[in-house]
């Protein structure tokens, strides 16, 4: 069975600090996909990134970066120079290749204070 | 450009009543999903459609729940004889699926918040 663990329930930082959100996953599949979503206070889930299991290159998009390490089954998300607008719940999710349903972690609440 | 829309946004009902929610996906998306999210948890998969065919249902989906996607466009989720435990946010998502390509990202609607009193 697939499982996603986000051990950090809540993180509080001060604006401009860097913050890393952890994600550890379990799957028996050799091919799978990992995702990060943001859920701001308005409630709508916003897609951030998709990564397949064959691509272990780190990715950077503006202040966001993702570190995928297959050896430790982790897909961590770092926000550099955090801003108040980054305050949200962040979800890591896992998908098998063909079914495509997402298995979500419990989420990490990020609070960025000014 | 219109994203995924859901109607209603909020629904308050009494225990034992039936409720129906509607989801309109992004127009070119052939896959549509339903998830349920309770407070402090991540969304949990309920069911999904490829075009009009319902391809998978979660064991979470009791026989009081039924979903349809006639003509492969909008979808409805009906809950019969609602119980207080059904109170949750019901999320709809859509995506594009192309044969022999990996799953594309799912785009979520704003959700329908159901409160059963």
């Amino acid at each position: 069975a697939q499982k996603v663990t986000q051990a950090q329930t809540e993180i509080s930082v001060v604006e401009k600090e860097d913050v890393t959100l952890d994600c550890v996953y379990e799957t028996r599949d050799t091919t799978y996909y990992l995702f990060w979503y943001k859920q701001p206070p308005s409630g709508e889930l916003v897609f951030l990134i998709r990564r397949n299991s064959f691509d272990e290159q780190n990715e950077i998009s503006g202040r966001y970066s993702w570190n995928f390490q297959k050896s430790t089954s982790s897909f961590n998300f770092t926000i550099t120079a955090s801003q108040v607008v980054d305050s949200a719940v962040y979800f890591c999710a896992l998908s098998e290749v063909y079914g495509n349903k997402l298995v979500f972690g419990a989420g990490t609440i990020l609070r960025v204070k000014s | 450009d219109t994203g995924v829309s859901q109607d209603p946004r909020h629904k308050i009902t009494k225990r034992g009543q039936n409720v129906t929610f509607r989801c309109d996906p992004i127009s070119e998306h052939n896959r549509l999903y339903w998830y349920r999210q309770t407070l402090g948890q991540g969304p949990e998969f309920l069911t999904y459609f490829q075009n009009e065919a319902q391809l998978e249902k979660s064991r979470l989906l009791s026989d009081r729940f039924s979903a349809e996607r006639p003509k492969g466009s909008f979808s409805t989720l009906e809950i019969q004889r609602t119980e207080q435990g059904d109170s949750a946010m019901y999320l709809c998502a859509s995506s594009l699926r192309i044969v022999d390509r990996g799953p594309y990202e799912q785009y979520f609607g704003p959700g329908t918040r159901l409160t059963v009193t």
Side-chain angles (χ1 to χ4, degrees):
Chain A
Q2 298 182 321
K3 184 180 177 182
V4 175
T5 301
Q6 295 180 256
Q8 303 151 309
T9 304
E10 186 170 338
I11 302 174
S12 288
V13 298
V14 176
E15 213 171 12
K16 298 183 184 177
E17 284 186 19
D18 299 347
V19 58
T20 296
L21 310 181
D22 298 334
C23 172
V24 174
Y25 62 91
E26 296 174 30
T27 180
R28 294 179 190 170
D29 297 333
T30 53
T31 304
Y32 50 89
Y33 288 77
L34 295 162
F35 302 79
W36 276 94
Y37 282 84
K38 174 182 180 179
Q39 190 172 41
S42 60
E44 194 159 334
L45 281 156
V46 176
F47 166 76
L48 296 177
I49 189 172
R50 177 186 76 143
R51 171 69 69 203
N52 75 52
S53 53
F54 294 114
D55 183 0
E56 289 194 68
Q57 280 192 334
N58 291 335
E59 180 154 342
I60 298 174
S61 175
R63 295 184 297 107
Y64 295 170
S65 62
W66 291 269
N67 180 262
F68 176 31
Q69 292 198 339
K70 219 168 172 178
S71 60
T72 56
S73 297
S74 65
F75 186 43
N76 296 337
F77 173 31
T78 298
I79 302 175
T80 302
S82 59
Q83 300 176 0
V84 173
V85 294
D86 295 327
S87 297
V89 184
Y90 290 87
F91 291 98
C92 181
L94 172 65
S95 169
E96 58 186 2
V97 176
Y98 298 108
N100 203 24
K101 65 182 179 186
L102 293 173
V103 175
F104 285 85
T108 297
I109 301 170
L110 175 64
R111 302 189 196 280
V112 182
K113 302 175 184 177
S114 59
Chain B
D1 176 36
T2 56
V4 178
S5 61
Q6 292 187 245
D7 184 69
R9 296 291 304 275
H10 302 275
K11 179 72 177 178
I12 300 174
T13 191
K14 292 184 178 179
R15 189 177 56 181
Q17 297 294 305
N18 298 344
V19 294
T20 300
F21 310 141
R22 176 180 171 123
C23 170
D24 286 272
I26 293 171
S27 57
E28 62 268 26
H29 285 180
N30 52 3
R31 283 203 170 180
L32 186 148
Y33 311 79
W34 286 98
Y35 292 84
R36 179 171 64 189
Q37 185 178 22
T38 53
L39 198 61
Q41 298 298 317
E44 292 177 300
F45 169 78
L46 293 178
T47 188
Y48 86 92
F49 295 82
Q50 178 155 314
N51 300 314
E52 65 275 8
Q54 188 173 18
L55 296 187
E56 187 174 349
K57 291 194 292 187
S58 164
R59 285 170 288 179
L60 292 175
L61 212 63
S62 79
D63 56 8
R64 296 185 297 106
F65 287 69
S66 62
E68 294 182 340
R69 193 184 181 196
K71 302 178 184 177
S73 56
F74 71 92
S75 175
T76 57
L77 177 68
E78 181 183 15
I79 309 174
Q80 296 183 327
R81 305 180 303 281
T82 52
E83 302 173 355
Q84 287 187 322
D86 297 330
S87 295
M89 177 76 86
Y90 289 84
L91 297 168
C92 176
S94 70
S95 75
L96 190 61
R97 173 69 182 185
I98 298 174
V99 175
D100 296 333
R101 302 266 313 259
Y104 284 78
E105 56 272 17
Q106 297 178 23
Y107 291 91
F108 284 79
T112 295
R113 182 168 295 284
L114 173 66
T115 302
V116 181
T117 61

